[in-house]
C-alpha cells in the first residue's frame, strides 16, 4: 500500500544506475491533489545535505507537488555544485510532470561526500515519471533502500480517509531521527500548518525516540503530504493519532532492521520528575555501548544501566533507583534486588524498565544491541 | 618503579582470593612521610561506588597515610552494607599499620552490584601489609588489573624529587576519566591545596580527554600523594609539568590497552573559537560508533567525521570545515578535498585533524576503533 494507499497519489521506483548492482535507486511520489498541503521535519545536524537545504526551502511554501528520492548517494558535503545538482533534479522533475520546481521536494541517501552522477539520474527521472501509477508505492519504497534488508511501508484507515507511508533506514538511527527518509501521505483535507503541528508531534514521540547508535545523519527527512482527495476534514485528535501510528509503525520497522542487531531493546523510564528527564535517561542508557554489548550477550548487567543513568542530570537519588530487565526487578533501591538468574534474555524483544522514583512522568526510547555484525557492516561500508 | 619510585613510599600487592583464578587482587600503598599531603579527583557519575564516597570524605582533610585498592569487585550499587564494607576495610588497614582510618583511602574495581567477600579481603589486608616494601610498586600495579593486559606504571624525575604512578583501566574510558584507578606519588614537599590544583589541571588535559567508549564508571579515582621525603619544594610550573607528564603517560597506556582496540585514534581539533568547542567536537567524533568502525576497517570515511561535528553546538560554518586523516586533507571547505586513496590507515596510530576555521584554539581527544573483539569482550564480562 505504502504512499499510494491514499487517493490522489501516484508513485514509481526504477533503477537509474546510481547503485552499482542494478537495483532500484530512484523513486518519485506525485500528489495529484486537489490539495498540495505539506509539512516536513528534518535532521538537526548542522551539516545538512544539499537536498535537505533545498527541501526546507520548498516547505516554507507549505506545498509539495512531488517528491523525488534517490539512494546510491547522499549528496551531502558536496559544496555549491551539490546544491546545483539537487536544483537540477527538481527542475527536471518539474519539467517532466509539467509543474514548478519550487514544489518539488528532493531526498537523497547513501555515501556522504561524493557528487551524484547526474546523467543517469536525470535520465532516470524521465523513466520513473513514465512509470508513475496508483500502485507504484511498493516500488518506490524499494528504491529508497540502502542497507535496509526489507522495504518499510505502513498504512492506517481513518474516518473516511487513509494514511500511507514508506521509510528507509537501517543504521545511524539517532537523536533526531536516523539516516532515514520517510514520506507519509494522506487523502484527508488538512491545511499545511496543521500538518506541520501534527507531524512534529508524531515524529517527536516515534522516530525521535529511536537511538540505535547515537549517530545523527546529514539527510534525515520526514515529509507529510495531503491530497485532500477524500474530501474529508478529519477530527484533529483522530488525525494526529493515525499519523502517530504510521510513524510508530515505520519507526518499529527501522528498529528491527537496524544493522547487525539481534535484539530490539525498549528502555522504559518511569517515575520521572519530567518527561524530558525520562527521555534523557532513556537516551543515555540507549547509548551505552557496554550495556548494548551485555544485552547482546544475554547478560542482565544492571550495573551498566545504573552507571549510564548516573551520567545524566535527571532528577533522581542513586539509592532510590529500581531497574527491571524483562520484568524482573534485579536492582532495587540502587542495589541488587531479585535474583538475576530469573531474567530470561533469550527473547528478541528486551524491555529494560528504569524507575527513577522521582515523579509521575515516563517515556520509552528504543535501541538495539551492539554486535560484531554491526562492526563488520560499518567497517566496510564505503570501500 | 611505579608508586615506590619516590622516597617515603612502600607498597605491595597480593592475591587475597577476590578474583577467581588466584591472581593478585589487593594492593596497598603507604606514605611514610614526613608529609601526608594528598589530593583526589573522582568520577562525575552521580552513581558513586562506596569507596569513592568514603575516599572523598578522607580527602576533605587533605591527608592520606595509605591507599588500599582491590580488583575483583567494584563495591558499587551495594547500599549501606557496601559502605560499611569500605569502612571496615579502612579500619582494618588502620589497625594493621597503626594509624587512623580517617587517613586511609579505599579504591575498588570490578563488577558493579555485588558485595565484596569481606573475610578474604580483611585477611588479605594483613597479608599485603606484611609485604610492604620499597620495591613493591610493581606488585601493587599488577594487583589492580581487571581486563588490563599489562600493568601500567610511569615515573618522571623533577629537580631534586621524583614522581611515580600506577593505573588500571582498559575499557569504559570516558567523559571524566575511565573505569580507572590511578595513584600518583611524589617525594616533593607540596601542600594539599597545591596538589589539588595541579592534579585537577593535569587530569583535565590527560585522563579526561580519553574517550574510548563514552561510558563513565562509578569508581574512577585518581589520587596524588606527597611524602615530602626529598625535602624539596618544587617550582610550581615544573611540578605541574611533571605531574601532567605522568598522567599523560598513564593515559596513553590506558588507551593502547583499551578492550579489543586495534587503533589508537588522536582527534586533533584546531581552529576552534574556544578550547571548550575543540573538546566538544573531539568528544562527539570520538563517540561516533560509525566512525570508529570505519577506522577499524581502514576506511578514511570523512563524511562520518563531518556528520559528528555537525551534531555539536561549537562555532563553525559547515562550508569552512577541513578534515585530514593521517595528514591528507580529504575534506576541504566541507566537501571532498585531496584524493582519499592517498590516506594510509594501516598504522596503529591514527590522527584525525579537524579544522573548524573559527579561531585560534585547539584540543586533542583520544579514542580507539570499535571492533568485534570489543563486542565479544563486553558481551560476556559478568557471566
Amino acid at each position: 500500500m505504502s504512499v499510494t494507499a491514499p487517493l490522489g497519489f501516484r508513485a514509481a521506483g526504477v533503477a537509474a544506475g546510481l547503485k552499482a548492482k542494478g537495483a532500484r535507486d530512484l523513486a518519485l511520489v506525485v500528489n495529484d491533489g486537489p490539495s498540495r498541503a505539506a509539512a516536513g521535519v528534518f535532521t538537526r545536524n548542522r551539516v545538512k545535505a544539499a537536498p535537505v537545504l533545498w527541501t526546507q526551502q520548498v516547505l516554507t511554501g507549505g506545498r509539495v507537488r512531488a517528491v523525488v528520492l534517490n539512494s546510491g548517494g547522499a549528496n551531502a558535503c558536496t559544496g555549491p555544485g551539490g546544491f546545483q545538482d539537487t536544483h537540477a533534479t527538481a527542475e527536471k522533475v518539474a519539467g517532466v510532470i509539467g509543474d514548478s520546481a519550487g514544489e518539488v521536494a528532493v531526498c537523497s541517501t547513501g555515501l556522504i561526500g561524493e557528487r551524484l552522477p547526474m546523467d543517469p539520474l536525470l535520465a532516470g527521472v524521465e523513466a520513473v515519471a513514465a512509470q508513475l501509477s496508483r500502485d507504484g508505492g511498493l516500488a518506490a519504497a524499494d528504491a529508497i533502500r540502502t542497507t535496509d534488508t526489507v522495504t518499510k511501508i505502513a498504512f492506517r484507515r481513518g474516518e473516511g480517509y487513509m494514511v500511507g507511508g514508506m521509510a528507509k533506514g537501517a543504521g545511524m538511527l539517532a537523536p533526531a531521527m536516523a539516516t532515514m527518509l520517510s514520506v507519509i501521505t494522506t487523502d484527508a483535507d488538512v491545511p499545511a500548518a496543521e500538518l506541520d503541528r501534527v507531524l512534529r508531534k508524531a515524529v517527536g514521540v516515534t522516530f525521535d525516540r529511536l537511538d540505535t547508535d547515537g549517530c545523527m545523519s546529514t539527510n534525515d527527512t520526514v515529509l507529510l503530504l495531503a491530497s485532500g482527495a477524500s474530501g474529508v476534514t478529519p477530527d484533529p485528535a483522530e488525525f494526529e493519532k493515525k499519523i502517530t501510528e504510521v510513524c510508530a509503525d515505520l519507526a518499529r520497522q527501522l528498529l528491527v532492521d537496524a544493522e547487525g542487531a539481534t535484539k530490539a531493546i525498549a528502555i522504559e523510564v518511569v517515575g520521572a520528575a519530567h518527561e524530558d528527564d525520562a527521555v534523557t535517561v532513556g537516551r543515555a542508557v540507549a547509548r551505552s555501548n557496554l550495556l548494548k554489548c551485555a544485552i547482546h550477550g544475554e547478560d542482565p548487567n544492571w550495573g551498566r544501566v545504573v552507571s549510564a543513568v548516573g551520567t545524566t542530570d535527571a532528577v533522581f537519588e542513586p539509592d532510590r533507583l529500581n531497574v527491571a530487565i524483562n520484568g524482573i526487578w534485579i536492582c532495587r533501591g540502587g542495589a541488587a534486588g531479585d535474583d538475576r538468574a530469573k531474567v530470561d534474555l533469550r527473547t528478541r524483544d528486551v524491555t529494560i524498565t528504569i524507575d527513577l522514583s522521582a515523579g509521575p512522568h515516563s517515556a520509552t526510547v528504543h535501541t538495539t544491541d551492539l554486535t560484531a555484525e554491526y562492526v563488520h557492516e560499518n567497517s566496510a561500508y564505503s570501500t
Side-chain angles (χ1 to χ4, degrees), chain A:
Chain A
M1 302 291 276
S2 178
V3 290
T4 47
L7 298 172
F9 292 93
R10 289 175 296 150
V14 300
L18 309 175
K19 285 180 180 165
K21 291 184 182 170
R24 286 191 182 114
D25 50 22
L26 189 66
L28 185 62
V29 180
V30 171
N31 179 359
D32 290 319
S35 171
R36 295 181 180 185
V41 176
F42 302 92
T43 182
R44 289 197 287 266
N45 198 311
R46 290 169 58 202
V47 178
K48 290 177 170 54
V52 169
L53 296 171
W54 170 266
T55 303
Q56 285 183 318
Q57 287 183 22
V58 169
L59 263 296
T60 58
R63 290 162 59 93
V64 168
R65 174 72 206 286
V67 187
V68 58
L69 312 95
N70 74 275
S71 52
N75 197 7
C77 303
T78 44
F83 190 80
Q84 286 165 18
D85 293 341
T86 291
H87 188 178
T89 306
E91 289 285 1
K92 179 73 180 179
V93 171
V96 171
I97 64 172
D99 215 297
S100 156
E103 298 188 5
V104 176
V106 182
C107 301
S108 300
T109 179
L111 195 62
I112 295 175
E114 293 183 0
R115 295 282 293 273
L116 291 169
M118 290 306 290
D119 288 347
L121 178 52
L122 296 180
V125 168
E126 297 197 15
V128 75
Q131 294 199 22
L132 283 168
S133 77
R134 281 286 297 138
D135 58 7
L138 201 57
D142 180 56
I144 60 175
R145 289 164 56 186
T146 52
T147 57
D148 306 69
T149 63
V150 294
T151 57
K152 285 130 186 168
I153 61 172
F155 67 96
R156 289 291 187 284
R157 193 174 300 277
E159 292 281 336
Y161 66 94
M162 286 288 286
V163 179
M166 66 179 185
K168 67 81 41 181
M172 226 180 171
L173 300 177
M177 315 197 299
T179 296
M180 59 156 293
L181 304 178
S182 180
V183 178
I184 299 164
T185 56
T186 180
D187 50 18
D189 190 14
V190 180
E194 175 67 1
L195 293 178
D196 185 72
R197 185 191 70 77
V198 167
L199 184 63
R200 279 176 203 288
K201 220 166 153 186
V203 168
V205 295
T206 56
F207 294 120
D208 267 357
R209 292 195 183 166
L210 280 184
D211 200 325
T212 67
D213 66 5
C215 295
M216 197 197 301
S217 150
T218 50
N219 289 58
D220 302 330
T221 303
V222 180
L223 300 175
L224 174 56
L225 279 54
S227 70
S230 70
V232 171
T233 300
D235 171 71
E238 193 229 357
F239 183 66
E240 183 179 316
K241 183 165 177 287
K242 296 297 168 191
I243 297 295
T244 304
E245 285 177 6
V246 167
C247 289
D249 190 335
L250 292 169
R252 167 80 191 171
Q253 294 177 52
L254 296 178
L255 184 73
V256 298
D257 196 31
E259 287 168 350
T262 66
K263 304 281 187 188
I265 307 171
I267 299 160
E268 290 182 349
V269 183
V270 302
H274 313 281
E275 186 178 353
D276 284 354
D277 274 8
V279 173
T280 298
V281 167
R283 277 201 200 296
V285 174
R287 291 193 189 165
S288 166
N289 280 352
L290 285 173
L291 174 68
K292 290 152 71 86
C293 287
I295 298 299
H296 178 57
E298 305 191 344
D299 169 15
N301 195 323
W302 60 268
R304 293 177 181 176
V305 177
V306 170
S307 61
V309 175
T311 64
T312 71
D313 60 1
V315 177
F316 74 91
E317 293 299 326
D319 60 1
R320 297 189 65 200
L321 287 177
N322 305 310
V323 177
I325 299 183
N326 279 354
I328 308 296
W329 289 91
I330 49 177
C331 169
R332 292 178 187 274
D338 298 351
D339 184 2
R340 48 175 281 149
K342 290 184 186 158
V343 180
D344 182 355
L345 274 171
R346 290 169 299 176
T347 53
R348 180 177 173 100
D349 281 299
V350 172
T351 302
I352 299 176
T353 311
I354 300 160
D355 178 6
L356 298 178
S357 304
H361 297 281
S362 64
T364 300
V365 173
H366 298 272
T367 189
T368 57
D369 56 343
L370 181 59
T371 68
E373 289 66 35
Y374 173 90
V375 175
H376 292 316
E377 197 156 339
N378 287 296
S379 296
Y381 179 64
S382 77
T383 49

